[in-house]
Amino acid sequence: MFIRVIITKFPNDNKKQLALTFISTVAPRFQNDSKLLDFQILDIGEGKILNIAKYNSKKDFEETNKWLQPLFTKMMKELDGVVESIPGEVVFSWSRQINTV
C-alpha cells in the first residue's frame, strides 16, 4: 500500500473553505478516473488541512497524480496555499477487527 499525506496551509479560513469546496467538486472523478482506495481530509486548525490518500501501489498513485497534481497545484497557487507532501510505502500496519452481529 502507498499513502500520500499532504498538509496544506492557507492564509485564512475563507481560502481554506474554498479549497475544500474545490476538492469536493473534483471528488466525483475519484471513482472512475483515479486509483484512490481511500481519501480523507482533516481540519487541523489555523487555516490548515491534512489530506490522507491511500493507493494499492506507488504506480497507482503516479497514474492518478498525472491528472490530479496539475488541478491541485493550480488551486493552491490561486488560493495562496503552501503544501507539504509526504508520500511513502506502508511498512507496518495494524487495525482492530470489529465484530458485528
Side-chain angles (χ1 to χ4, degrees):
M1 181 172 292
F2 190 83
I3 296 178
R4 181 177 188 175
V5 176
I6 301 172
I7 299 172
T8 54
K9 179 164 178 39
F10 298 94
N12 59 56
D13 198 57
N14 287 337
K15 289 189 177 189
K16 177 183 76 175
Q17 291 303 323
L18 287 170
L20 292 170
T21 300
F22 169 79
I23 293 167
S24 70
T25 65
V26 174
R29 292 184 66 184
F30 293 169
Q31 185 65 37
N32 297 321
D33 298 343
S34 79
K35 303 282 186 161
L36 270 165
L37 298 176
D38 186 59
F39 183 70
Q40 298 171 358
I41 299 176
L42 290 74
D43 185 341
I44 57 175
E46 300 178 7
K48 295 186 278 188
I49 55 176
L50 174 78
N51 303 320
I52 304 168
K54 297 179 184 177
Y55 301 85
N56 270 329
S57 66
K58 185 175 182 179
K59 181 179 183 250
D60 287 352
F61 157 72
E62 290 169 346
E63 286 180 28
T64 299
N65 209 38
K66 287 178 187 175
W67 66 267
L68 188 55
Q69 162 90 45
L71 291 175
F72 190 75
T73 300
K74 182 178 178 189
M75 180 265 302
M76 291 302 295
K77 285 181 182 178
E78 290 175 0
L79 297 176
D80 302 318
V82 177
V83 177
E84 180 181 357
S85 177
I86 309 162
E89 293 285 340
V90 174
V91 295
F92 177 82
S93 180
W94 180 90
S95 61
R96 181 176 306 276
Q97 298 300 316
I98 300 173
N99 296 326
T100 58
V101 178

